[in-house]
């Protein structure tokens, strides 16, 4: 956690259900407060004791200047192609979090990016889903996605809109 602070990241303990944690002496963490300010010395020294049973979430907001490209794609080939495009278009980031591979989050420094989610479409404009093995499924518009499939989405989380992203712990 000291490493995160030294790199300029603001973090909070996060319950395994991805909600801000309730911690002794702090109550339920009001994470939106940290979008505008960093951790106090008390918080920076007090929060780490909870990380053995909690996730660690990075706060994204105006104070942080962070932008995250959250690639929620379960097809490994597609995730790899997206990462190559991100490297070519945005530059190679030194900070990449691998959640449940091949899902990844790429961290950048930025100041005015809004939060956006982009569903991935096939060449015919139909939403892409992936089954439990990561095999791509094309959805015909108007049909429900196959049971147990995941939408293939790229989410951009910027400082203007903010959010939380799990850095360490249980990923969904």
């Amino acid at each position: 956690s000291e490493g995160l602070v030294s790199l300029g990241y603001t973090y909070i303990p996060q319950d395994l259900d991805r909600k801000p944690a309730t911690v002794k002496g702090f109550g339920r963490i009001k994470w939106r407060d940290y979008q505008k300010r960093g951790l106090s010395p008390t918080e920076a020294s007090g929060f780490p004791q909870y990380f053995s049973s909690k996730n660690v979430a990075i706060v994204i907001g105006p104070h942080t200047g962070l932008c995250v490209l959250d690639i929620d794609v379960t097809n490994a080939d597609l995730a790899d192609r997206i990462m190559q495009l991100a490297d070519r278009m945005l530059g190679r980031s030194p900070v990449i979090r691998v959640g449940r591979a091949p899902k990844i989050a790429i961290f950048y420094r930025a100041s005015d990016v809004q939060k956006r989610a982009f569903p991935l479409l096939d060449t015919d404009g139909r939403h892409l889903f992936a089954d439990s093995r990561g095999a791509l499924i094309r959805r015909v518009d108007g049909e429900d996605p196959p049971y147990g499939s995941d939408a293939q989405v790229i989410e951009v989380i910027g400082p203007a809109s903010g959010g939380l992203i799990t850095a360490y712990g249980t990923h969904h």
Side-chain angles (χ1 to χ4, degrees):
S1 60
E2 290 175 18
L4 291 172
V5 172
S6 70
L7 292 172
Y9 292 98
T10 299
Y11 63 88
I12 63 165
Q14 181 189 50
D15 287 335
L16 300 182
D17 63 3
R18 296 179 20 173
K19 293 179 182 173
T22 300
V23 296
K24 185 177 180 181
F26 296 99
R28 170 81 60 194
I29 296 172
K30 295 176 176 60
W31 71 272
R32 292 188 190 278
D33 293 349
Y34 298 103
Q35 289 183 302
K36 300 178 186 95
R37 66 174 180 87
L39 296 173
S40 71
T42 302
E43 293 161 336
S45 64
F47 284 171
Q49 67 182 308
Y50 296 97
F51 292 149
S52 63
S53 62
K54 307 279 186 200
N55 289 338
V56 177
I58 302 291
V59 179
I60 311 298
H63 163 73
T64 67
L66 288 174
C67 177
V68 179
L69 186 62
D70 191 9
I71 303 172
D72 287 330
V73 173
T74 56
N75 178 278
D77 291 334
L78 183 58
D80 187 55
R81 287 191 306 227
I82 293 167
M83 186 162 174
Q84 289 174 20
L85 282 170
D87 286 350
R88 191 170 71 223
M89 296 170 71
L90 303 171
R92 171 74 89 180
S93 172
V95 182
I96 298 171
R97 186 230 52 215
V98 178
R100 288 179 22 191
K103 293 182 176 184
I104 59 172
I106 307 171
F107 289 73
Y108 297 95
R109 293 286 178 185
S111 59
D112 60 356
V113 177
Q114 296 288 331
K115 184 173 184 175
R116 304 252 192 262
F118 301 96
L120 299 181
L121 308 175
D122 67 11
T123 56
D124 296 323
R126 295 177 294 198
H127 287 85
L128 287 176
F129 289 81
D131 65 17
S132 60
R133 299 178 320 275
L136 291 178
I137 301 167
R138 292 180 178 182
R139 176 182 173 205
V140 177
D141 286 335
E143 290 182 3
D144 288 333
Y147 178 77
S149 63
D150 292 322
Q152 305 296 282
V153 176
I154 299 173
E155 185 176 13
V156 179
I157 306 167
S161 55
L164 286 176
I165 189 154
T166 305
Y168 302 102
T170 302
H171 297 281
H172 303 275

